[in-house]
Amino acid sequence: MPVRDHERREGGAARVTRRRARTRANLLDAAFGVFAAKGFGRVSIEEVCEAAGYSRGAFYSNFATLDELFFALYQERADLIADQVAGALAVDGPDLDVPAAVDRVTDVLLLDLDWLLVKTDFLVHAARDRAVARTLLEHRARLRSAVADRLARARGHTALPAVLGDADGAAHAVVAAYDGVTTQLLLDKDVDGARAWLKQLLTALLTGGEGTPYIP
């Protein structure tokens, strides 16, 4: 009997955990839409709860503040992008086929206008808060690390342009190119053009090659 009681308690706890995870995910999804539509700083907890179909109690059981939810949302998307880049670069063996790797990265990379609006809001928020800025820098470092690690493993097999220096320098340049393309995308809303431009920039950057320029 005590064993069954223990099993019932464990089963109940597991259901609560799953339900809470679903609630958290639903709150994040709803908040993403609200933040993209209105901008961080113009959104209230009540609006997020209404969009998700939950009470304030459900919100506070998952997040202490709107800032905490906002950061969790950024973290989720930033981790996804880092994983996309790392996965696309991990396919080759020791040799790195740069044009093919760039094709894979640009094909899977999240170039979503709503995400870019939320990301830009987060960047502005971080610029005014040193603690948030440190965390944002950590996430950007993870993205660069995914690129630098792959380029470093290819050294000796695939030459990088000398002007980039080492793999870390090349990774900084790759992320800077991504930043520039996504800024243009925010203004012209041309996702296909952004992918084409990013593909050309990264290929030229990592090979020192020249091609027909894409003019956005």
Side-chain angles (χ1 to χ4, degrees):
M1 192 69 166
V3 173
R4 291 199 188 97
D5 288 343
H6 178 68
E7 289 174 347
R8 278 196 294 270
R9 285 196 297 272
E10 285 189 340
R15 284 192 295 273
V16 169
T17 300
R18 287 194 297 271
R19 186 167 61 248
R20 182 171 182 177
R22 283 196 302 272
T23 300
R24 179 183 175 87
N26 290 338
L27 284 166
L28 287 170
D29 286 344
F32 180 80
V34 177
F35 285 141
K38 299 190 67 174
F40 183 73
R42 297 185 178 90
V43 174
S44 67
I45 290 174
E46 288 77 8
E47 287 174 302
V48 172
C49 291
E50 182 179 352
Y54 291 122
S55 66
R56 286 174 64 94
F59 179 93
Y60 285 117
S61 70
N62 287 275
F63 303 102
T65 64
L66 203 57
D67 277 21
E68 184 180 318
L69 181 149
F70 190 48
F71 178 72
L73 182 62
Y74 179 85
Q75 183 174 20
E76 180 180 80
R77 295 296 174 116
D79 287 349
L80 172 62
I81 289 174
D83 288 343
Q84 286 175 329
V85 171
L89 291 174
V91 174
D92 295 323
D95 294 312
L96 180 63
D97 183 342
V98 171
V102 167
D103 281 348
R104 289 194 301 272
V105 168
T106 53
D107 284 344
V108 304
L109 196 60
L110 186 65
L111 290 176
D112 177 78
L113 286 166
D114 284 345
W115 156 242
L116 293 176
L117 287 169
V118 173
K119 174 188 168 185
T120 302
D121 272 348
F122 193 86
L123 179 62
V124 173
H125 181 49
R128 294 187 172 95
D129 187 316
R130 292 186 65 183
V132 177
R134 282 195 297 270
T135 307
L136 179 57
L137 287 170
E138 288 170 6
H139 281 283
R140 288 175 64 79
R142 183 185 168 199
L143 178 59
R144 287 197 304 270
S145 178
V147 177
D149 179 65
R150 184 63 189 91
L151 295 177
R153 285 187 285 116
R155 291 298 290 267
H157 301 273
T158 305
L160 293 173
V163 69
L164 297 177
D166 58 11
D168 285 335
H172 274 80
V174 167
V175 174
Y178 170 74
D179 286 342
V181 168
T182 53
T183 297
Q184 180 72 24
L185 175 57
L186 274 173
L187 300 176
D188 64 22
K189 310 294 192 292
D190 183 1
V191 175
D192 290 337
R195 289 194 189 283
W197 188 24
L198 183 61
K199 186 177 296 188
Q200 182 178 4
L201 279 176
L202 294 183
T203 301
L205 183 68
L206 295 174
T207 64
E210 297 180 356
T212 302
Y214 172 77
I215 307 298

